[in-house]
Amino acid sequence: MPDPETTQRLRGVLLEQLDRLGDEQRNAVQNASTVSLDQTSVGRLSRMDAMQQQAMAQAAVQRLATHRRRVQAALDRVDRSVYGLCCDCGMEIGLDRLLSDPAAPFCRDCQEERDAAR
């Protein structure tokens, strides 16, 4: 587990990420709203392009929601004093891994196993 000072620094990073993700998610929700086009002045390709843009925005909303859940879960682990421990095997997550991804829930070995299983 990281030392208390490093944990608090990473907690600050996580809180900043949570705020940023909230802003990004609000923007993505607006972009994913229903497409309404004037069918008399817009061609079929423009409608298809607008629908594709909407689908991409909806996917972004889902991706951002998943990332927010990961960040919130990491903050919960900080509050429970288990931050820095792998949620799978319970071993320490390397500091280099936490510095690159403060929301990382798994050690490198467990993450590699999960990735290989997909």
Side-chain angles (χ1 to χ4, degrees):
M1 282 179 34
D3 62 75
E5 183 180 318
T6 303
T7 298
Q8 287 308 308
R9 189 167 39 103
L10 290 172
R11 184 179 187 279
V13 170
L14 288 165
L15 288 170
E16 289 173 10
Q17 283 183 1
L18 196 62
D19 287 342
R20 181 183 49 80
L21 288 166
D23 293 341
E24 289 179 17
Q25 193 173 19
R26 282 186 286 282
N27 289 337
V29 166
Q30 288 175 349
N31 293 337
S33 61
T34 303
V35 176
S36 60
L37 297 172
D38 178 5
Q39 302 258 343
T40 61
S41 64
V42 177
R44 188 175 118 218
L45 291 178
S46 295
R47 284 191 305 274
M48 290 173 59
D49 185 52
M51 290 173 17
Q52 182 180 28
Q53 293 294 324
Q54 180 187 25
M56 289 171 39
Q58 289 170 341
V61 168
Q62 293 299 317
R63 187 181 71 253
L64 289 166
T66 299
H67 195 166
R68 281 191 76 194
R69 283 191 301 272
R70 285 184 75 235
V71 169
Q72 186 59 57
L75 287 167
D76 292 344
R77 290 192 300 277
V78 170
D79 293 342
R80 293 190 333 261
S81 299
V82 294
Y83 181 73
L85 298 178
C86 179
C87 291
D88 196 11
C89 71
M91 299 299 290
E92 286 191 24
I93 299 172
L95 184 57
D96 59 331
R97 182 164 170 75
L98 290 174
L99 290 173
S100 67
D101 180 9
F106 306 109
C107 67
R108 183 164 317 225
D109 291 340
C110 289
Q111 186 63 55
E112 287 175 358
E113 286 178 23
R114 287 173 169 270
D115 291 344
R118 287 188 202 172

